[in-house]
Amino acid sequence: QKEVEQNSGPLSVPEGAIASLNCTYSDRGSQSFFWYRQYSGKSPELIMFIYSNGDKEDGRFTAQLNKASQYVSLLIRDSQPSDSATYLCAVNSQRNSGYSTLTFGKGTMLLVSP
Amino acid sequence: DGGITQSPKYLFRKEGQNVTLSCEQNLNHDAMYWYRQDPGQGLRLIYYSQIVNDFQKGDIAEGYSVSREKKESFPLTVTSAQKNPTAFYLCASSTPSTGARTDTQYFGPGTRLTVL
């Protein structure tokens, strides 16, 4: 069973600070990495995806990927109270069917205090 | 508006009943997925389908069944064989996985199933 590990948190940061969310994965063959945000009682919504080693920036969000260390992270700059949510890391793996699917971590709860 | 719809939003089931959860998408995606989420847990894959009239078991398929007769629709039946069906059920769709990469999955609003 492929595994995706995240610290469950909560991670508490003050408004305006940088929040750093981390994720490790077990499948060395993984090629696609996603960060989703999930508000309580709602469905996940995509924040970012990353395929290549290095950094990818989109507004206040930066995804970082290190395939050698099997590590992916999400940085949120200038954190806002509206960023308070659970952040899910998802990593793809090849199945016996020949298709690849996503394995999700359990998520890290982020709390941004005003 | 393109998107994924799930119905009903809330569903109550009595012991021994089968129930069917609806999932419809108008994103023209070939691939569709069903996940289950329990409190404090990540999403676990129940079934997936990359093309019409074909589907595969995910990690927790026991007690569930699906069909994929139309590209737009991927209904999930929770059977009486599912011992602990109370959970939040999420449907997602994407373009089909090609090679080693997986494209972004987009989620519907979910159905919350409670067994009475």
Side-chain angles (χ1 to χ4, degrees):
Chain A
Q1 183 83 351
K2 311 301 182 186
E3 294 183 344
V4 176
E5 300 287 343
Q6 295 182 255
N7 189 322
S8 62
L11 172 65
S12 295
V13 300
E15 184 174 358
I18 296 175
S20 177
L21 304 163
N22 304 314
C23 172
T24 58
Y25 60 94
S26 64
D27 184 2
R28 285 201 168 274
S30 295
Q31 297 290 326
S32 307
F33 307 87
F34 302 85
W35 282 100
Y36 286 86
R37 177 175 63 196
Q38 187 176 26
Y39 292 112
S40 181
K42 303 296 186 182
S43 61
E45 55 180 335
L46 180 73
I47 298 295
M48 291 190 69
F49 62 87
I50 186 167
Y51 294 143
S52 303
N53 274 333
D55 295 359
K56 180 182 179 182
E57 186 174 320
D58 183 1
R60 296 187 296 113
F61 300 95
T62 299
Q64 299 175 317
L65 175 61
N66 184 325
K67 289 183 181 179
S69 300
Q70 295 176 243
Y71 176 92
V72 59
S73 65
L74 179 70
L75 300 178
I76 306 175
R77 289 180 299 280
D78 188 24
S79 295
Q80 301 297 309
S82 58
D83 293 326
S84 297
T86 296
Y87 289 79
L88 301 172
C89 173
V91 176
N92 84 322
S93 292
Q94 202 85 13
R95 288 189 176 253
N96 291 337
S97 65
Y99 298 114
S100 65
T101 61
L102 295 182
T103 298
F104 285 79
K106 293 182 179 180
T108 297
M109 182 182 294
L110 173 66
L111 299 176
V112 181
S113 53
Chain B
D1 270 337
I4 304 173
T5 58
Q6 291 186 243
S7 63
K9 186 174 181 180
Y10 298 97
L11 184 58
F12 299 90
R13 191 193 92 170
K14 293 182 179 179
E15 295 272 358
Q17 278 185 335
N18 292 354
V19 292
T20 298
L21 283 59
S22 169
C23 178
E24 304 275 338
Q25 56 96 2
N26 62 4
L27 299 169
N28 200 32
H29 285 160
D30 286 302
M32 297 186 74
Y33 311 83
W34 274 106
Y35 294 92
R36 168 183 173 142
Q37 187 175 34
D38 294 282
Q41 301 294 314
L43 280 62
R44 291 185 290 167
L45 183 64
I46 304 172
Y47 269 97
Y48 61 104
S49 168
Q50 298 285 326
I51 197 169
V52 174
N53 292 321
D54 188 39
F55 51 83
Q56 287 77 35
K57 293 181 179 179
D59 300 315
I60 55 165
E62 185 175 350
Y64 300 97
S65 65
V66 294
S67 62
R68 186 82 189 278
E69 298 175 359
K70 297 188 300 181
K71 184 177 182 177
E72 302 79 18
S73 178
F74 192 39
L76 173 74
T77 296
V78 184
T79 75
S80 57
Q82 170 49 235
K83 298 304 179 190
N84 186 19
T86 295
F88 188 39
Y89 289 86
L90 290 157
C91 177
S93 73
S94 74
T95 55
S97 62
T98 53
R101 286 193 175 176
T102 301
D103 204 353
T104 300
Q105 292 183 17
Y106 298 93
F107 286 86
T111 292
R112 199 166 295 278
L113 172 63
T114 302
V115 173
L116 302 173

